[in-house]
Amino acid sequence: METGCGRTAMAMGLTSKKASARCVGVERKNLITVCRFSVKTLLEKYTAEPIDDSSEEFVNFAAILEHILSHRFKGSGSWFSSDGQRSFWEYLRLACSKVQNNCIASIENIENISTSRAKGRAWIRVALMEKRLSEYVSAALRDTKTTRRFYDDGAIMLREEATVLTGMLIGLSAIDFSFCLKGETLDGKSPAVIDYTPYLKFTQSYDYLSDEEDRRSVDSSNSEESVPEHPYIPLVTDEESWSNKCRKMEQRFKIVYAQKGYLEELVRLRESQLKNVETENKCLRAKVEELTVQNGHILAHCFCASAGKDDTPSMLGLCGSLASLPSSKSLASLKSSECLVNISAEPSPALSPS
């Protein structure tokens, strides 16, 4: 009897673990899917004006990203947190510390932002303004030791969905963001709340999916680890089908156009940097040539100075002649008036007959 009860308890435990793992898997897929919708919405709504905290699309995206970075985060408190809260900022502060020219120190020094949650929200905004959000997340994921230290098993940051996340965030580099890093949005007291209302229309059909990757993502979410497929299948006429196709093409065009503008700006920046380097290189070459000429004069003077210690008149005459000549002349090109020894027509007293 006791053996039967033990087996029943073990079976119930395994069932509970499977149900828990299934719920965690559903959470991951739902958060990644909603994040994809949010990024696409931001790209569609973006115009020439920068996006700020007044944008409902951004507020929702920031809440979604905060939920993703907090998914299966270990513990709610920390002995090294000044406010007793432990948020994803504690993880990013360490995992992104080795990124060159990172914004960690500047966020730590922002006035009126003291809580860990507020610093994490400030980091999201600063990373977007720097157009380096995907770079920061990728660098943090490469630090696997720190990532496992801060996240439990099944977390998005420990699964393949994290790679999908970094790919989605690259598109945000085409958008200009402008934020004021103070106010109630960064106080860290109120939790981030996701508004699913803008995405309810996407649950009726697959018309919102613009490529095969998104279709495979939704198909995989309908596996045995996820929720069952919605039984409602909308009736789509030919006219509606063509309208949806046109809308998809328009969305793709806007995204590609925004990314094209970002890449063109990046190319212009690199060309400007290349011109500056070429100009600096020319200046350095001219300076090297000038120093080479000066070095030749210095060597000639040093040679004459060392030869001046000798009392031989011929050596003194040679040094004087070399010092007076330009460096570009050679002995073969000397004129007759520049001869080193002046031969007189009168015989030397030493050579005259006695």
Side-chain angles (χ1 to χ4, degrees):
M1 185 67 180
E2 292 179 357
T3 304
C5 293
R7 291 178 178 177
T8 304
M10 290 178 60
M12 292 179 63
L14 292 175
T15 304
S16 177
K17 289 182 179 180
K18 289 183 179 180
S20 177
R22 180 187 176 190
C23 290
V24 173
V26 171
E27 289 177 358
R28 290 198 306 267
K29 289 183 173 62
N30 287 344
L31 285 173
I32 291 296
T33 302
V34 174
C35 185
R36 180 183 289 113
F37 296 155
S38 179
V39 171
K40 289 185 176 181
T41 304
L42 281 174
L43 291 172
E44 292 170 5
K45 297 293 183 180
Y46 172 66
T47 59
E49 297 295 329
I51 294 178
D52 54 21
D53 281 305
S54 63
S55 170
E56 296 181 359
E57 291 80 12
F58 165 74
V59 173
N60 213 28
F61 166 77
I64 294 171
L65 184 59
E66 187 171 336
H67 275 266
I68 290 176
L69 295 174
S70 303
H71 184 249
R72 305 281 294 171
F73 196 81
K74 289 183 179 180
S76 58
S78 173
W79 61 271
F80 54 81
S81 270
S82 59
D83 57 344
Q85 295 180 353
R86 190 179 187 183
S87 72
F88 62 89
W89 166 249
E90 306 295 341
Y91 160 66
L92 295 170
R93 183 173 59 86
L94 297 177
C96 298
S97 60
K98 296 182 181 179
V99 179
Q100 293 184 353
N101 301 322
N102 63 75
C103 60
I104 304 300
S106 60
I107 292 176
E108 291 280 12
N109 296 327
I110 295 178
E111 298 181 357
N112 302 325
I113 298 181
S114 58
T115 64
S116 178
R117 182 184 293 173
K119 290 179 180 179
R121 292 174 178 177
W123 172 83
I124 293 175
R125 287 159 173 78
V126 172
L128 286 172
M129 288 191 290
E130 291 182 348
K131 301 181 184 294
R132 301 178 65 188
L133 182 59
S134 179
E135 178 186 351
Y136 281 124
V137 176
S138 298
L141 292 174
R142 287 195 293 270
D143 190 351
T144 55
K145 183 178 180 181
T146 303
T147 305
R148 292 188 176 277
R149 171 186 168 189
F150 281 89
Y151 289 94
D152 289 321
D153 292 338
I156 292 177
M157 300 299 287
L158 294 176
R159 301 297 294 266
E160 61 274 7
E161 286 86 354
T163 305
V164 178
L165 175 65
T166 57
M168 288 188 294
L169 298 179
I170 293 177
L172 297 178
S173 300
I175 302 179
D176 294 328
F177 293 91
S178 178
F179 304 107
C180 179
L181 301 180
K182 61 181 180 180
E184 297 180 356
T185 55
L186 298 179
D187 61 1
K189 298 178 181 178
S190 57
V193 179
I194 301 176
D195 181 15
Y196 293 95
T197 305
Y199 315 119
L200 292 178
K201 60 181 179 180
F202 296 139
T203 60
Q204 295 182 357
S205 67
Y206 289 170
D207 291 341
Y208 64 90
L209 298 177
S210 57
D211 49 39
E212 292 298 328
E213 181 182 355
D214 293 343
R215 293 179 185 272
R216 288 195 298 268
S217 176
V218 173
D219 289 339
S220 63
S221 65
N222 289 330
S223 62
E224 58 183 9
E225 293 185 358
S226 183
V227 295
E229 184 179 359
H230 197 285
Y232 172 72
I233 301 178
L235 179 63
V236 180
T237 62
D238 293 338
E239 184 177 355
E240 291 176 347
S241 176
W242 281 109
S243 176
N244 291 331
K245 289 182 179 180
C246 291
R247 180 172 56 83
K248 294 175 190 176
M249 293 299 296
E250 183 179 0
Q251 291 174 358
R252 285 187 178 184
F253 174 78
K254 289 180 179 179
I255 295 173
V256 173
Y257 183 77
Q259 294 177 347
K260 172 179 172 290
Y262 169 71
L263 292 175
E264 288 178 349
E265 183 64 25
L266 188 62
V267 169
R268 284 194 293 269
L269 177 62
R270 294 294 181 264
E271 289 178 349
S272 176
Q273 293 175 347
L274 180 60
K275 290 181 180 178
N276 294 336
V277 171
E278 290 178 349
T279 303
E280 186 178 356
N281 190 21
K282 290 181 180 178
C283 295
L284 291 175
R285 286 184 178 179
K287 187 175 292 185
V288 168
E289 292 178 358
E290 182 181 355
L291 292 175
T292 303
V293 174
Q294 293 179 358
N295 190 30
H297 288 293
I298 293 173
L299 289 176
H301 285 294
C302 291
F303 175 75
C304 294
S306 61
K309 297 179 181 180
D310 190 359
D311 295 335
T312 305
S314 59
M315 290 299 297
L316 293 175
L318 176 61
C319 292
S321 301
L322 287 175
S324 63
L325 291 176
S327 61
S328 60
K329 291 187 177 182
S330 61
L331 294 176
S333 63
L334 295 176
K335 298 180 181 179
S336 60
S337 61
E338 297 171 342
C339 292
L340 301 180
V341 180
N342 187 11
I343 302 176
S344 175
E346 298 179 358
S348 174
L351 298 178
S352 61
S354 55

